[in-house]
Amino acid sequence: MNQLLGFLARHFHWLLFLALEAVSLLMLFGTNNYQTAAWVSTSNAAVGQLLEWRGQVEQFFLMGQENAALTRRNLALEARLAAMSQLLARRGIDTSLVIRQQDSLMATLNLIPAQVVGNEMNRQENLMTINRGLADGVRPDMGVVCGTGAVGVVYKCSDHYSVVLPLLNRRSHLSCAIRDRGFFGYHSWTGDDPTRVWIDDVPRHARFHTGDMVETSGYSSIFPRGILVGRIEHVYNSPDGLSYRLKVQLSTDFSTLRNVMVIADEQVAEQQQLLREARNTENQ
């Protein structure tokens, strides 16, 4: 005790100085809007940088698994393309024309590569952070995809980071269709299993099977048609009995997700602006 009192007595002036500095900083940032905004902006940038460094370390150790998964995905896509080409050839359709049309469609999409630097999976309304923002051309309401399918929608942006509303969020509702069937519904997540989602409002006259693939419908102005979402695992009746409710196993493993792409399509942005103007006109 005597040693502690002696230490405090010897360094009293330094301790008093630090206490007064802390009080002055609290008063400065607590009563001035400009300094408060500057502090919040700086702290957000610092947190984003720390998250990015952590993501780079995790990505280094998971790179082998990710490359293997991408290789399997590419092989599956090549096999599917070859099967489609054979089918079109048997029906007398020019496959080179189809390929040129597909290439023309992909050329209209501007894809911005990004990395996941923050990812939540244990909440009802999970959020994801990526290391691209306004300075990179990312804007709210842009779709986010990866090598295995749809990921989510950009929610908010700063200059160099963006927050994404992933499929694993109760507020996320993506328009989906059953591949090669034409019937569609809306995705939802109940907040329990991060590997499965639900597709609601599928009409009763729809014909499909468990194991069929679910993809984006293209009816929204965020995602083009055909981006994989998952595979039908089980079929239920809706609570009112008027439609089906599908349990879908996601094609994307959100627990290991690192590399994504933001769809920065000018035509999509034009559609969104037109929809916003139409809604504003209705509200007037």
Coordinates of all heavy atoms in Angstrom, one line a residue, residues 4-98:
L4 N 2.2 1.8 -3.4 CA 1.2 2.4 -4.3 C 1.0 3.9 -4.1 O 0.9 4.7 -5.0 CB -0.1 1.6 -4.2 CG -1.3 2.1 -5.0 CD1 -1.0 2.0 -6.5 CD2 -2.6 1.3 -4.7
L5 N 0.9 4.2 -2.8 CA 0.7 5.7 -2.5 C 1.9 6.5 -2.9 O 1.8 7.6 -3.4 CB 0.5 5.8 -1.0 CG -0.9 5.2 -0.5 CD1 -0.9 5.4 1.1 CD2 -2.0 5.9 -1.1
G6 N 3.1 5.9 -2.8 CA 4.3 6.6 -3.2 C 4.4 6.8 -4.7 O 4.8 7.8 -5.2
F7 N 3.9 5.7 -5.4 CA 3.9 5.8 -6.9 C 2.9 6.9 -7.4 O 3.2 7.7 -8.2 CB 3.5 4.5 -7.5 CG 3.3 4.5 -9.0 CD1 4.3 4.4 -9.8 CD2 2.0 4.6 -9.5 CE1 4.1 4.4 -11.2 CE2 1.8 4.7 -10.9 CZ 2.9 4.6 -11.7
L8 N 1.7 7.0 -6.7 CA 0.7 8.0 -7.1 C 1.2 9.4 -6.8 O 1.0 10.3 -7.5 CB -0.6 7.7 -6.3 CG -1.3 6.4 -6.7 CD1 -2.5 6.2 -5.9 CD2 -1.7 6.4 -8.2
A9 N 2.0 9.5 -5.6 CA 2.5 10.8 -5.3 C 3.6 11.3 -6.2 O 3.6 12.5 -6.6 CB 3.0 10.8 -3.8
R10 N 4.4 10.4 -6.7 CA 5.5 10.7 -7.6 C 5.0 11.1 -9.0 O 5.5 12.0 -9.7 CB 6.5 9.6 -7.7 CG 7.4 9.4 -6.5 CD 8.5 8.5 -6.7 NE 8.1 7.2 -7.3 CZ 7.8 6.1 -6.5 NH1 7.8 6.2 -5.2 NH2 7.4 5.0 -7.1
H11 N 3.9 10.4 -9.4 CA 3.4 10.6 -10.8 C 2.0 11.3 -10.8 O 1.3 11.2 -11.8 CB 3.3 9.3 -11.5 CG 4.6 8.6 -11.6 ND1 5.6 8.9 -12.5 CD2 5.1 7.5 -10.9 CE1 6.7 8.1 -12.3 NE2 6.4 7.3 -11.3
F12 N 1.7 12.0 -9.8 CA 0.4 12.6 -9.7 C 0.2 13.6 -10.8 O -0.9 13.7 -11.4 CB 0.2 13.4 -8.3 CG -1.0 14.2 -8.2 CD1 -2.2 13.5 -8.0 CD2 -1.0 15.6 -8.4 CE1 -3.4 14.2 -7.9 CE2 -2.2 16.3 -8.3 CZ -3.4 15.6 -8.1
H13 N 1.2 14.4 -11.2 CA 1.0 15.4 -12.2 C 0.7 14.8 -13.6 O -0.1 15.3 -14.4 CB 2.2 16.3 -12.3 CG 3.5 15.6 -12.5 ND1 4.1 14.8 -11.6 CD2 4.3 15.5 -13.6 CE1 5.2 14.3 -12.0 NE2 5.3 14.7 -13.3
W14 N 1.4 13.6 -13.9 CA 1.1 12.9 -15.2 C -0.3 12.3 -15.2 O -1.0 12.3 -16.2 CB 2.1 11.8 -15.4 CG 3.5 12.3 -15.7 CD1 4.6 12.3 -15.0 CD2 3.8 13.0 -17.0 NE1 5.7 12.9 -15.6 CE2 5.2 13.3 -16.9 CE3 3.1 13.3 -18.1 CZ2 5.9 13.9 -17.9 CZ3 3.8 13.9 -19.2 CH2 5.2 14.2 -19.1
L15 N -0.7 11.7 -14.1 CA -2.1 11.1 -14.0 C -3.1 12.2 -14.1 O -4.1 12.0 -14.8 CB -2.2 10.4 -12.7 CG -1.3 9.2 -12.5 CD1 -1.5 8.6 -11.1 CD2 -1.6 8.1 -13.5
L16 N -2.9 13.3 -13.5 CA -3.9 14.5 -13.6 C -3.9 14.9 -15.0 O -5.0 15.2 -15.6 CB -3.4 15.6 -12.7 CG -4.3 16.8 -12.7 CD1 -5.8 16.5 -12.3 CD2 -3.8 17.9 -11.8
F17 N -2.8 15.0 -15.7 CA -2.7 15.4 -17.1 C -3.5 14.5 -18.0 O -4.3 14.9 -18.8 CB -1.3 15.5 -17.6 CG -1.1 15.7 -19.1 CD1 -1.3 17.0 -19.6 CD2 -0.8 14.7 -19.9 CE1 -1.2 17.2 -21.0 CE2 -0.7 14.8 -21.3 CZ -0.9 16.1 -21.8
L18 N -3.3 13.2 -17.8 CA -4.1 12.2 -18.7 C -5.6 12.3 -18.4 O -6.4 12.2 -19.3 CB -3.6 10.8 -18.4 CG -2.1 10.5 -18.8 CD1 -1.7 9.1 -18.4 CD2 -2.0 10.7 -20.3
A19 N -6.0 12.5 -17.1 CA -7.4 12.6 -16.8 C -8.0 13.8 -17.4 O -9.1 13.7 -18.0 CB -7.6 12.6 -15.3
L20 N -7.3 14.9 -17.4 CA -7.8 16.2 -18.0 C -7.9 16.0 -19.5 O -8.9 16.5 -20.2 CB -6.9 17.3 -17.6 CG -7.0 17.7 -16.1 CD1 -6.0 18.9 -15.9 CD2 -8.4 18.2 -15.8
E21 N -6.9 15.3 -20.1 CA -7.0 15.1 -21.6 C -8.2 14.2 -22.0 O -8.9 14.5 -23.0 CB -5.7 14.4 -22.0 CG -4.5 15.3 -22.2 CD -4.6 16.3 -23.3 OE1 -5.2 15.9 -24.4 OE2 -4.2 17.4 -23.2
A22 N -8.5 13.2 -21.2 CA -9.6 12.3 -21.5 C -10.9 13.1 -21.4 O -11.8 13.0 -22.2 CB -9.6 11.2 -20.5
V23 N -11.0 14.0 -20.3 CA -12.2 14.8 -20.2 C -12.4 15.7 -21.3 O -13.5 15.9 -21.9 CB -12.2 15.5 -18.8 CG1 -13.4 16.5 -18.7 CG2 -12.3 14.5 -17.7
S24 N -11.3 16.4 -21.8 CA -11.4 17.3 -22.8 C -11.8 16.7 -24.2 O -12.6 17.2 -24.9 CB -10.0 18.1 -23.0 OG -9.0 17.1 -23.4
L25 N -11.2 15.4 -24.4 CA -11.6 14.7 -25.6 C -13.1 14.3 -25.6 O -13.8 14.4 -26.6 CB -10.7 13.5 -25.8 CG -9.3 13.8 -26.2 CD1 -8.5 12.5 -26.2 CD2 -9.2 14.4 -27.5
L26 N -13.6 13.9 -24.5 CA -15.0 13.5 -24.4 C -15.9 14.7 -24.6 O -16.9 14.7 -25.3 CB -15.3 12.9 -23.0 CG -14.7 11.5 -22.7 CD1 -15.0 11.2 -21.3 CD2 -15.4 10.5 -23.6
M27 N -15.5 15.9 -24.1 CA -16.3 17.1 -24.3 C -16.2 17.6 -25.8 O -17.2 18.0 -26.3 CB -15.7 18.2 -23.4 CG -16.0 18.0 -21.9 SD -15.3 19.3 -20.9 CE -16.3 20.7 -21.4
L28 N -15.0 17.4 -26.4 CA -14.9 17.8 -27.8 C -15.7 17.0 -28.7 O -16.5 17.5 -29.5 CB -13.4 17.7 -28.2 CG -13.1 18.0 -29.7 CD1 -13.3 19.5 -30.0 CD2 -11.6 17.7 -30.0
F29 N -15.6 15.6 -28.6 CA -16.4 14.8 -29.5 C -17.9 14.7 -29.1 O -18.7 14.3 -29.9 CB -15.8 13.4 -29.6 CG -14.4 13.4 -30.2 CD1 -13.3 13.2 -29.5 CD2 -14.3 13.6 -31.6 CE1 -12.0 13.1 -30.1 CE2 -13.1 13.6 -32.2 CZ -11.9 13.4 -31.5
G30 N -18.2 15.0 -27.9 CA -19.6 14.9 -27.5 C -20.4 16.1 -27.8 O -21.7 16.0 -27.8
T31 N -19.8 17.2 -28.0 CA -20.6 18.4 -28.2 C -20.4 19.1 -29.6 O -21.0 20.1 -29.8 CB -20.2 19.5 -27.1 OG1 -18.8 19.7 -27.2 CG2 -20.5 18.9 -25.7
N32 N -19.5 18.5 -30.4 CA -19.3 19.1 -31.7 C -19.6 18.1 -32.8 O -19.0 17.0 -32.8 CB -17.8 19.6 -31.9 CG -17.5 20.7 -30.9 OD1 -17.8 21.9 -31.2 ND2 -16.9 20.4 -29.7
N33 N -20.5 18.4 -33.7 CA -21.0 17.4 -34.7 C -19.9 17.1 -35.7 O -19.7 15.9 -36.1 CB -22.2 18.0 -35.4 CG -23.4 18.1 -34.5 OD1 -23.5 17.3 -33.6 ND2 -24.3 19.0 -34.8
Y34 N -19.1 18.1 -36.0 CA -18.0 17.8 -37.0 C -17.0 16.9 -36.5 O -16.6 15.9 -37.2 CB -17.4 19.1 -37.4 CG -16.2 19.0 -38.4 CD1 -16.4 18.7 -39.8 CD2 -14.9 19.0 -37.9 CE1 -15.4 18.5 -40.6 CE2 -13.8 18.8 -38.8 CZ -14.1 18.6 -40.1 OH -13.0 18.3 -41.0
Q35 N -16.5 17.1 -35.3 CA -15.5 16.2 -34.7 C -16.0 14.8 -34.5 O -15.4 13.8 -34.7 CB -14.9 16.8 -33.4 CG -14.0 17.9 -33.6 CD -14.6 19.3 -33.8 OE1 -15.9 19.3 -33.9 NE2 -13.9 20.3 -34.0
T36 N -17.3 14.8 -34.1 CA -17.9 13.5 -33.9 C -18.0 12.7 -35.2 O -17.7 11.5 -35.2 CB -19.4 13.6 -33.3 OG1 -19.3 14.3 -32.1 CG2 -20.0 12.3 -33.1
A37 N -18.4 13.3 -36.3 CA -18.5 12.7 -37.6 C -17.1 12.2 -38.1 O -16.9 11.1 -38.6 CB -19.1 13.6 -38.6
A38 N -16.1 13.1 -37.8 CA -14.7 12.7 -38.2 C -14.2 11.5 -37.5 O -13.6 10.6 -38.0 CB -13.8 13.9 -38.0
W39 N -14.6 11.5 -36.2 CA -14.1 10.3 -35.4 C -14.8 9.0 -35.8 O -14.2 8.0 -35.9 CB -14.4 10.6 -33.9 CG -14.3 9.4 -33.0 CD1 -15.3 8.7 -32.4 CD2 -13.1 8.7 -32.6 NE1 -14.9 7.6 -31.7 CE2 -13.5 7.6 -31.8 CE3 -11.8 8.9 -32.9 CZ2 -12.6 6.7 -31.3 CZ3 -10.8 8.0 -32.4 CH2 -11.2 7.0 -31.6
V40 N -16.1 9.1 -36.1 CA -16.9 7.9 -36.5 C -16.3 7.4 -37.8 O -16.1 6.2 -38.0 CB -18.4 8.2 -36.6 CG1 -19.1 7.1 -37.2 CG2 -18.9 8.5 -35.2
S41 N -16.1 8.3 -38.8 CA -15.6 7.9 -40.1 C -14.2 7.3 -39.9 O -13.9 6.2 -40.5 CB -15.5 9.2 -41.0 OG -14.9 8.8 -42.2
T42 N -13.3 7.9 -39.1 CA -12.0 7.3 -38.9 C -12.0 5.9 -38.3 O -11.3 5.0 -38.7 CB -11.1 8.3 -38.1 OG1 -11.1 9.5 -38.7 CG2 -9.7 7.7 -37.9
S43 N -12.9 5.8 -37.2 CA -13.0 4.5 -36.5 C -13.5 3.4 -37.5 O -13.1 2.3 -37.4 CB -13.8 4.7 -35.3 OG -15.2 5.1 -35.6
N44 N -14.5 3.8 -38.3 CA -15.1 2.8 -39.2 C -14.0 2.3 -40.2 O -14.0 1.1 -40.6 CB -16.3 3.4 -40.0 CG -17.5 3.5 -39.1 OD1 -17.6 2.9 -38.0 ND2 -18.5 4.3 -39.5
A45 N -13.2 3.3 -40.7 CA -12.2 2.9 -41.6 C -11.2 2.0 -41.0 O -10.7 1.0 -41.6 CB -11.5 4.1 -42.2
A46 N -10.8 2.3 -39.7 CA -9.9 1.4 -39.0 C -10.4 0.0 -38.8 O -9.7 -1.0 -39.0 CB -9.5 2.1 -37.7
V47 N -11.7 0.0 -38.4 CA -12.3 -1.4 -38.1 C -12.3 -2.1 -39.4 O -12.1 -3.3 -39.5 CB -13.7 -1.2 -37.5 CG1 -14.4 -2.5 -37.5 CG2 -13.6 -0.6 -36.1
G48 N -12.7 -1.4 -40.5 CA -12.8 -2.1 -41.8 C -11.4 -2.6 -42.2 O -11.3 -3.8 -42.8
Q49 N -10.3 -1.9 -42.0 CA -9.0 -2.3 -42.3 C -8.6 -3.5 -41.5 O -8.0 -4.5 -42.0 CB -8.0 -1.2 -42.1 CG -6.6 -1.5 -42.5 CD -6.5 -1.8 -44.0 OE1 -6.9 -0.9 -44.8 NE2 -6.0 -2.9 -44.4
L50 N -8.9 -3.5 -40.2 CA -8.6 -4.7 -39.3 C -9.4 -5.9 -39.8 O -8.8 -7.0 -39.9 CB -9.0 -4.4 -37.9 CG -8.1 -3.4 -37.2 CD1 -8.7 -3.1 -35.8 CD2 -6.7 -3.9 -37.0
L51 N -10.7 -5.8 -40.2 CA -11.4 -6.9 -40.7 C -10.8 -7.4 -42.0 O -10.8 -8.6 -42.2 CB -12.9 -6.5 -40.9 CG -13.7 -6.2 -39.7 CD1 -15.1 -5.7 -40.1 CD2 -13.9 -7.5 -38.9
E52 N -10.3 -6.5 -42.8 CA -9.7 -7.0 -44.1 C -8.5 -7.7 -43.8 O -8.2 -8.8 -44.5 CB -9.4 -5.7 -45.0 CG -8.9 -6.1 -46.3 CD -8.8 -4.9 -47.3 OE1 -9.1 -3.8 -46.8 OE2 -8.3 -5.1 -48.4
W53 N -7.6 -7.3 -42.9 CA -6.4 -8.0 -42.6 C -6.7 -9.4 -42.1 O -6.1 -10.4 -42.4 CB -5.6 -7.3 -41.5 CG -4.9 -6.1 -42.1 CD1 -4.6 -5.8 -43.4 CD2 -4.4 -4.9 -41.4 NE1 -4.0 -4.6 -43.5 CE2 -3.9 -4.0 -42.3 CE3 -4.4 -4.6 -40.0 CZ2 -3.3 -2.8 -41.9 CZ3 -3.9 -3.4 -39.6 CH2 -3.3 -2.5 -40.6
R54 N -7.8 -9.5 -41.2 CA -8.1 -10.8 -40.7 C -8.6 -11.7 -41.8 O -8.3 -12.9 -41.8 CB -9.2 -10.7 -39.6 CG -9.6 -12.0 -38.9 CD -10.8 -11.8 -38.0 NE -12.0 -11.6 -38.8 CZ -13.2 -11.5 -38.2 NH1 -13.3 -11.6 -36.9 NH2 -14.3 -11.4 -39.0
G55 N -9.4 -11.1 -42.7 CA -9.9 -11.9 -43.8 C -8.8 -12.4 -44.7 O -8.9 -13.5 -45.2
Q56 N -7.8 -11.6 -44.9 CA -6.6 -12.1 -45.7 C -5.9 -13.2 -45.1 O -5.5 -14.2 -45.8 CB -5.7 -10.9 -46.0 CG -6.2 -9.8 -46.9 CD -5.3 -8.6 -46.9 OE1 -4.3 -8.5 -46.2 NE2 -5.6 -7.7 -47.8
V57 N -5.8 -13.2 -43.8 CA -5.1 -14.3 -43.1 C -6.0 -15.6 -43.2 O -5.5 -16.7 -43.6 CB -4.9 -14.0 -41.6 CG1 -4.4 -15.2 -40.9 CG2 -3.9 -12.8 -41.5
E58 N -7.3 -15.5 -43.0 CA -8.2 -16.6 -43.1 C -8.2 -17.1 -44.6 O -8.2 -18.4 -44.8 CB -9.6 -16.3 -42.7 CG -9.7 -15.9 -41.2 CD -11.0 -15.5 -40.8 OE1 -11.9 -15.2 -41.7 OE2 -11.3 -15.4 -39.6
Q59 N -8.2 -16.2 -45.5 CA -8.2 -16.7 -46.9 C -7.0 -17.4 -47.3 O -7.0 -18.4 -48.1 CB -8.3 -15.4 -47.8 CG -8.5 -15.8 -49.3 CD -8.5 -14.6 -50.2 OE1 -8.1 -13.5 -49.8 NE2 -9.0 -14.7 -51.4
F60 N -5.8 -17.1 -46.7 CA -4.6 -17.8 -47.0 C -4.7 -19.2 -46.6 O -4.2 -20.1 -47.4 CB -3.4 -17.1 -46.3 CG -2.1 -17.8 -46.4 CD1 -1.3 -17.7 -47.6 CD2 -1.6 -18.6 -45.4 CE1 -0.1 -18.4 -47.7 CE2 -0.4 -19.3 -45.5 CZ 0.3 -19.2 -46.7
F61 N -5.2 -19.5 -45.5 CA -5.3 -20.9 -45.0 C -6.4 -21.7 -45.7 O -6.4 -22.9 -45.7 CB -5.5 -20.9 -43.5 CG -4.3 -20.5 -42.7 CD1 -4.3 -19.2 -42.1 CD2 -3.2 -21.3 -42.5 CE1 -3.2 -18.8 -41.4 CE2 -2.1 -20.9 -41.8 CZ -2.1 -19.6 -41.3
L62 N -7.4 -21.0 -46.2 CA -8.5 -21.7 -46.9 C -8.4 -21.7 -48.4 O -9.3 -22.1 -49.1 CB -9.9 -21.0 -46.5 CG -10.3 -21.2 -45.0 CD1 -11.5 -20.3 -44.8 CD2 -10.5 -22.6 -44.7
M63 N -7.3 -21.2 -48.9 CA -7.2 -21.0 -50.4 C -7.2 -22.3 -51.1 O -7.8 -22.5 -52.2 CB -5.9 -20.3 -50.7 CG -5.7 -19.8 -52.2 SD -4.2 -18.9 -52.4 CE -4.6 -17.5 -51.4
G64 N -6.6 -23.4 -50.5 CA -6.6 -24.7 -51.2 C -8.0 -25.2 -51.3 O -8.4 -25.7 -52.4
Q65 N -8.8 -25.1 -50.3 CA -10.2 -25.6 -50.3 C -11.0 -24.8 -51.3 O -11.8 -25.4 -52.1 CB -10.9 -25.5 -48.9 CG -10.2 -26.3 -47.9 CD -10.8 -26.1 -46.5 OE1 -11.9 -25.5 -46.4 NE2 -10.2 -26.7 -45.5
E66 N -10.8 -23.5 -51.4 CA -11.6 -22.6 -52.3 C -11.2 -22.9 -53.7 O -12.1 -23.0 -54.6 CB -11.3 -21.2 -51.9 CG -12.3 -20.2 -52.6 CD -12.2 -18.8 -52.0 OE1 -12.1 -18.7 -50.8 OE2 -12.2 -17.9 -52.8
N67 N -10.0 -23.1 -54.0 CA -9.6 -23.5 -55.4 C -10.1 -24.8 -55.8 O -10.6 -25.0 -57.0 CB -8.0 -23.5 -55.5 CG -7.4 -22.1 -55.4 OD1 -8.1 -21.1 -55.7 ND2 -6.1 -22.0 -55.0
A68 N -10.2 -25.8 -54.9 CA -10.7 -27.1 -55.3 C -12.2 -26.9 -55.6 O -12.7 -27.6 -56.5 CB -10.5 -28.1 -54.1
A69 N -12.9 -26.1 -54.7 CA -14.4 -25.9 -55.0 C -14.6 -25.2 -56.3 O -15.6 -25.6 -57.0 CB -15.0 -25.1 -53.8
L70 N -13.8 -24.2 -56.6 CA -14.0 -23.5 -57.9 C -13.7 -24.4 -59.1 O -14.4 -24.4 -60.1 CB -13.1 -22.3 -57.9 CG -13.5 -21.1 -57.0 CD1 -12.4 -20.0 -57.1 CD2 -14.8 -20.6 -57.4
T71 N -12.7 -25.3 -58.9 CA -12.4 -26.3 -60.0 C -13.6 -27.2 -60.2 O -13.9 -27.5 -61.4 CB -11.1 -27.1 -59.6 OG1 -10.0 -26.2 -59.5 CG2 -10.8 -28.1 -60.7
R72 N -14.1 -27.7 -59.2 CA -15.3 -28.6 -59.3 C -16.5 -27.9 -60.0 O -17.2 -28.4 -60.8 CB -15.7 -29.2 -58.0 CG -14.8 -30.2 -57.4 CD -15.4 -30.9 -56.2 NE -15.7 -30.0 -55.1 CZ -14.9 -29.7 -54.1 NH1 -13.7 -30.3 -54.1 NH2 -15.3 -28.9 -53.2
R73 N -16.7 -26.6 -59.6 CA -17.7 -25.8 -60.2 C -17.5 -25.6 -61.7 O -18.5 -25.7 -62.5 CB -17.8 -24.5 -59.4 CG -18.8 -23.5 -60.0 CD -20.2 -24.0 -59.8 NE -21.2 -23.0 -60.3 CZ -22.5 -23.2 -60.5 NH1 -22.9 -24.4 -60.4 NH2 -23.3 -22.2 -60.9
N74 N -16.3 -25.3 -62.1 CA -16.0 -25.0 -63.5 C -16.2 -26.3 -64.3 O -16.7 -26.3 -65.4 CB -14.6 -24.6 -63.6 CG -14.4 -23.1 -63.2 OD1 -15.3 -22.4 -63.1 ND2 -13.2 -22.8 -62.8
L75 N -15.8 -27.5 -63.7 CA -16.0 -28.7 -64.4 C -17.5 -29.0 -64.6 O -17.9 -29.5 -65.7 CB -15.3 -29.9 -63.7 CG -13.8 -29.9 -63.7 CD1 -13.2 -31.0 -62.7 CD2 -13.2 -30.0 -65.1
A76 N -18.3 -28.7 -63.6 CA -19.7 -29.0 -63.7 C -20.3 -28.1 -64.7 O -21.2 -28.5 -65.5 CB -20.4 -28.7 -62.3
L77 N -19.9 -26.8 -64.8 CA -20.4 -25.9 -65.8 C -20.0 -26.3 -67.2 O -20.8 -26.2 -68.1 CB -20.0 -24.4 -65.5 CG -20.5 -23.8 -64.2 CD1 -19.9 -22.4 -64.0 CD2 -22.1 -23.6 -64.4
E78 N -18.8 -26.7 -67.4 CA -18.4 -27.2 -68.7 C -19.1 -28.4 -69.1 O -19.5 -28.5 -70.3 CB -16.9 -27.5 -68.7 CG -16.0 -26.2 -68.5 CD -14.5 -26.6 -68.4 OE1 -14.2 -27.8 -68.5 OE2 -13.7 -25.7 -68.3
A79 N -19.4 -29.3 -68.2 CA -20.2 -30.5 -68.6 C -21.6 -30.1 -68.9 O -22.2 -30.7 -69.9 CB -20.2 -31.5 -67.4
R80 N -22.2 -29.2 -68.2 CA -23.6 -28.7 -68.5 C -23.6 -28.0 -69.9 O -24.5 -28.3 -70.7 CB -24.1 -27.8 -67.4 CG -25.5 -27.4 -67.6 CD -25.9 -26.4 -66.6 NE -27.3 -26.0 -66.8 CZ -27.9 -24.9 -66.2 NH1 -27.1 -24.2 -65.4 NH2 -29.1 -24.6 -66.5
L81 N -22.6 -27.2 -70.2 CA -22.6 -26.5 -71.5 C -22.4 -27.5 -72.6 O -23.1 -27.4 -73.7 CB -21.4 -25.5 -71.5 CG -21.2 -24.7 -72.8 CD1 -22.4 -23.9 -73.1 CD2 -20.0 -23.8 -72.7
A82 N -21.6 -28.5 -72.4 CA -21.4 -29.5 -73.5 C -22.7 -30.3 -73.7 O -23.1 -30.6 -74.8 CB -20.3 -30.5 -73.1
A83 N -23.4 -30.6 -72.6 CA -24.7 -31.4 -72.8 C -25.7 -30.5 -73.5 O -26.5 -31.0 -74.4 CB -25.2 -31.8 -71.4
M84 N -25.8 -29.2 -73.2 CA -26.7 -28.3 -73.8 C -26.4 -28.1 -75.3 O -27.3 -28.1 -76.2 CB -26.7 -26.9 -73.1 CG -27.3 -26.9 -71.7 SD -27.2 -25.3 -70.9 CE -28.2 -24.3 -72.1
S85 N -25.1 -28.1 -75.6 CA -24.7 -27.9 -77.0 C -25.1 -29.2 -77.8 O -25.6 -29.1 -79.0 CB -23.2 -27.7 -77.1 OG -22.8 -26.5 -76.4
Q86 N -24.9 -30.4 -77.2 CA -25.3 -31.6 -77.9 C -26.8 -31.6 -78.1 O -27.3 -32.0 -79.2 CB -24.9 -32.8 -77.1 CG -23.4 -33.0 -77.1 CD -23.0 -34.1 -76.2 OE1 -23.8 -34.8 -75.6 NE2 -21.7 -34.4 -76.0
L87 N -27.6 -31.2 -77.1 CA -29.0 -31.2 -77.3 C -29.5 -30.3 -78.3 O -30.4 -30.6 -79.2 CB -29.7 -30.8 -75.9 CG -31.2 -30.7 -75.9 CD1 -31.8 -32.1 -76.2 CD2 -31.7 -30.3 -74.5
L88 N -28.9 -29.1 -78.4 CA -29.3 -28.1 -79.4 C -28.9 -28.6 -80.8 O -29.6 -28.4 -81.8 CB -28.6 -26.7 -79.1 CG -29.1 -26.0 -77.9 CD1 -28.2 -24.7 -77.6 CD2 -30.6 -25.6 -78.0
A89 N -27.7 -29.2 -80.9 CA -27.3 -29.7 -82.2 C -28.3 -30.8 -82.7 O -28.6 -30.9 -83.9 CB -25.9 -30.3 -82.1
R90 N -28.7 -31.7 -81.8 CA -29.7 -32.7 -82.2 C -31.0 -32.1 -82.7 O -31.7 -32.7 -83.5 CB -29.9 -33.7 -81.0 CG -28.8 -34.6 -80.8 CD -29.2 -35.8 -79.9 NE -29.7 -35.4 -78.6 CZ -28.9 -35.3 -77.5 NH1 -27.6 -35.7 -77.6 NH2 -29.4 -35.0 -76.4
R91 N -31.4 -31.0 -82.2 CA -32.6 -30.3 -82.6 C -32.4 -29.4 -83.8 O -33.3 -28.6 -84.1 CB -33.2 -29.6 -81.4 CG -33.6 -30.5 -80.3 CD -34.3 -29.7 -79.2 NE -34.8 -30.6 -78.1 CZ -35.5 -30.2 -77.0 NH1 -35.8 -28.9 -76.9 NH2 -35.9 -31.1 -76.1
G92 N -31.2 -29.3 -84.3 CA -30.9 -28.5 -85.5 C -30.8 -27.1 -85.2 O -30.9 -26.2 -86.1
I93 N -30.4 -26.7 -84.0 CA -30.2 -25.3 -83.6 C -28.7 -25.0 -83.7 O -27.9 -25.7 -83.2 CB -30.8 -25.0 -82.2 CG1 -32.3 -25.3 -82.2 CG2 -30.5 -23.6 -81.8 CD1 -32.9 -25.2 -80.8
D94 N -28.4 -23.8 -84.2 CA -27.0 -23.4 -84.3 C -26.5 -23.0 -83.0 O -26.8 -22.0 -82.4 CB -27.0 -22.1 -85.2 CG -25.5 -21.7 -85.5 OD1 -24.6 -22.4 -85.1 OD2 -25.3 -20.6 -86.2
T95 N -25.6 -23.9 -82.5 CA -25.0 -23.7 -81.1 C -24.1 -22.5 -81.1 O -23.9 -21.9 -80.0 CB -24.3 -25.0 -80.7 OG1 -23.2 -25.3 -81.6 CG2 -25.2 -26.2 -80.6
S96 N -23.4 -22.2 -82.2 CA -22.5 -21.1 -82.2 C -23.3 -19.8 -82.0 O -22.8 -18.8 -81.3 CB -21.7 -21.0 -83.5 OG -22.6 -20.8 -84.6
L97 N -24.5 -19.7 -82.5 CA -25.4 -18.5 -82.3 C -25.7 -18.4 -80.8 O -25.7 -17.3 -80.3 CB -26.6 -18.6 -83.2 CG -27.6 -17.5 -83.0 CD1 -27.0 -16.1 -83.3 CD2 -28.9 -17.7 -83.8
V98 N -26.1 -19.5 -80.2 CA -26.4 -19.4 -78.8 C -25.3 -19.0 -78.0 O -25.4 -18.2 -77.0 CB -26.9 -20.8 -78.3 CG1 -27.2 -20.8 -76.8 CG2 -28.2 -21.2 -79.1

